[in-house]
Every structure is written in structure tokens, then in C-alpha cells.
Amino acid sequence: QKEVEQDPGPLSVPEGAIVSLNCTYSNSAFQYFMWYRQYSRKGPELLMYTYSSGNKEDGRFTAQVDKSSKYISLFIRDSQPSDSATYLCAIQKNFNKFYFGSGTKLNVKP
Amino acid sequence: GAVVSQHPSRVICKSGTSVKIECRSLDFQATTMFWYRQFPKQSLMLMATSNEGSKATYEQGVEKDKFLINHASLTLSTLTVTSAHPEDSSFYICSARDSGGSQTEAFFGQGTRLTVV
């Protein structure tokens, strides 16, 4: 069983839609949860990170963690074409190792 | 956010030659850097963790003698792909953790696309 599972998509939505991206993980020992955005042929950039259950909001982005279900989500409000990218969830158990999801490719159509 | 510079961004080499990829943290010190490999439409696969001044820690299945890692300073780690073969063609990405910052954040380089012909 993979440490982190993520639906690869692709996910296609119209501009302005609310996007929901999700990951599940297997180990309850994981402590830190992150979302990265990766444009084609570029390195990932950190969008958000959180370490507790609940919601964390940053502009149009909301990260949600449900530790009881081992489920994390990223919501994007008022999606824009510039949001089109691959979104990777990442989970950290200790300070030395990240586990990445396979990435969900998002396409926001104008 | 902090900047990590990776060089070169793209390299084509002949089979049997060696290629060196550099990863530099430009505005922070990084005692720990990570090297990943990414295949098309797949996620990042951690190859090794590079620690300044000590030997790198390789993930299971990654050949130490083929992927040489050197982390000689707090701002530079290098990955050398030795005797490259076409199956080594991939996107290689480094990331660095700010020694003085949050232990949960790692900043990524732009990636290096290696093509072995």
C-alpha cells in the first residue's frame, strides 16, 4: 500500500469553479501536510502546509485535514486559468522525509 | 519564499558519460537537501537525502555508485549521474530545507531534464 494516494485526474473545470483536490494517507503517525503546485517542466512550489486537523485558509486556497479519516483536501475558490497545473500533496512523518502523492493535473478553462 | 537554484535546467549527454547537476540555496543555508526523480505523469520519487559534511542517505533501490551526491557546503549539493544510460533519462529535482527556518518547509529547484542518447 502506498503511503499517500492521490487521484491523478486530469480534472477539467470552467473558470470560476470551486476545485476540490484530495489525498488519503495510510499512516496515522504523519504529522505535517503540504500542498505543492507544479507547472509543466518546473519544480514544485509550496502552496500551503498545516499540521493539525481542520481548515487553513490563504486567499483563494483552503487546506483541510481530517486526521481521523486520514484524508486531506485542497480547495481552490474562483479558479483561474493560471491555476492550471499539477497539484501534489505531500506528507511528512518526521523532519527528514516527505511522501508525495502522484499529483492531480488541473485544467481551468477560460 | 526562499530560492533554490538548480543547474543545468536541461542536458543531453551520450550514453556512458557522466553528468553533474548542481543545487544551490541562494538566500539561506541548507544542512539538508533532497534529490528526487520524476517520471512523466508520476510523482516525485525520493532518491537520497543529502546532509552537509556527511554521506548521503540513499533510498532503497537507488544505486549509490551510480548517483553520487556531494554536499560540501551549506549552500551547495551536487548529484552526479555516472556512466549514464538511456534509462537514466528523467526529470531530476532537488529541494532544500532552510536550516534556520521551519523544519516542515522545503523549497524546490527548477528541475533538470536529463536526456541520455
Side-chain angles (χ1 to χ4, degrees):
Chain A
Q1 182 184 10
K2 286 184 180 179
E3 300 278 5
V4 184
E5 298 274 4
Q6 183 176 6
D7 186 340
L11 182 62
S12 187
V13 301
E15 183 175 355
I18 296 174
V19 176
S20 173
L21 304 165
N22 309 294
C23 288
T24 58
Y25 60 96
S26 58
N27 192 330
S28 57
F30 286 128
Q31 299 173 294
Y32 300 96
F33 310 91
M34 289 143 283
W35 285 95
Y36 287 84
R37 177 173 61 195
Q38 185 177 23
Y39 291 110
S40 181
R41 303 186 181 187
K42 300 287 186 183
E45 58 175 318
L46 179 66
L47 282 176
M48 300 183 71
Y49 78 87
T50 184
Y51 55 86
S52 57
S53 280
N55 294 350
K56 182 177 181 180
E57 192 172 316
D58 184 1
R60 296 185 295 110
F61 298 90
T62 299
Q64 186 178 78
V65 175
D66 183 346
K67 288 189 175 182
S68 62
S69 303
K70 302 191 190 70
Y71 194 85
I72 64 172
S73 300
L74 178 70
F75 298 98
I76 307 174
R77 291 186 301 278
D78 188 24
S79 56
Q80 303 295 310
S82 58
D83 295 329
S84 298
T86 296
Y87 289 80
L88 298 153
C89 63
I91 299 178
Q92 194 177 23
K93 185 163 61 178
N94 54 45
F95 292 140
N96 281 331
K97 198 162 184 176
F98 292 77
Y99 296 90
F100 284 88
S102 56
T104 300
K105 187 170 184 178
L106 171 67
N107 180 34
V108 180
K109 297 176 290 185
Chain B
V3 178
V4 175
S5 176
Q6 190 172 338
H7 179 80
S9 58
R10 184 184 296 264
V11 58
I12 301 173
C13 71
K14 290 185 177 180
S15 187
T17 62
S18 295
V19 174
K20 180 185 283 189
I21 303 170
E22 293 187 348
C23 181
R24 293 181 184 273
S25 55
L26 297 186
D27 51 1
F28 64 97
Q29 292 184 331
T31 53
T32 304
M33 291 187 177
F34 305 91
W35 287 97
Y36 295 87
R37 186 172 178 176
Q38 187 176 34
F39 291 102
K41 299 184 180 182
Q42 294 189 29
S43 187
L44 290 78
M45 181 190 77
L46 179 64
M47 299 175 65
T49 302
S50 168
N51 298 297
E52 187 268 336
S54 63
K55 290 183 179 180
T57 303
Y58 289 81
E59 295 299 301
Q60 191 173 10
V62 178
E63 298 177 59
K64 301 179 184 181
D65 295 332
K66 181 164 186 63
F67 298 100
L68 300 179
I69 291 173
N70 184 281
H71 193 158
S73 78
L74 286 171
T75 59
L76 174 64
S77 176
T78 60
L79 168 69
T80 301
V81 183
T82 63
S83 187
H85 287 94
E87 58 264 32
D88 298 325
S89 299
S90 189
F91 194 53
Y92 292 86
I93 307 175
C94 71
S95 73
R97 177 180 285 133
D98 185 348
S99 303
S102 165
Q103 290 293 314
T104 59
E105 292 188 66
F107 302 96
F108 285 82
Q110 309 95 312
T112 297
R113 182 159 302 281
L114 170 63
T115 303
V116 184
V117 298

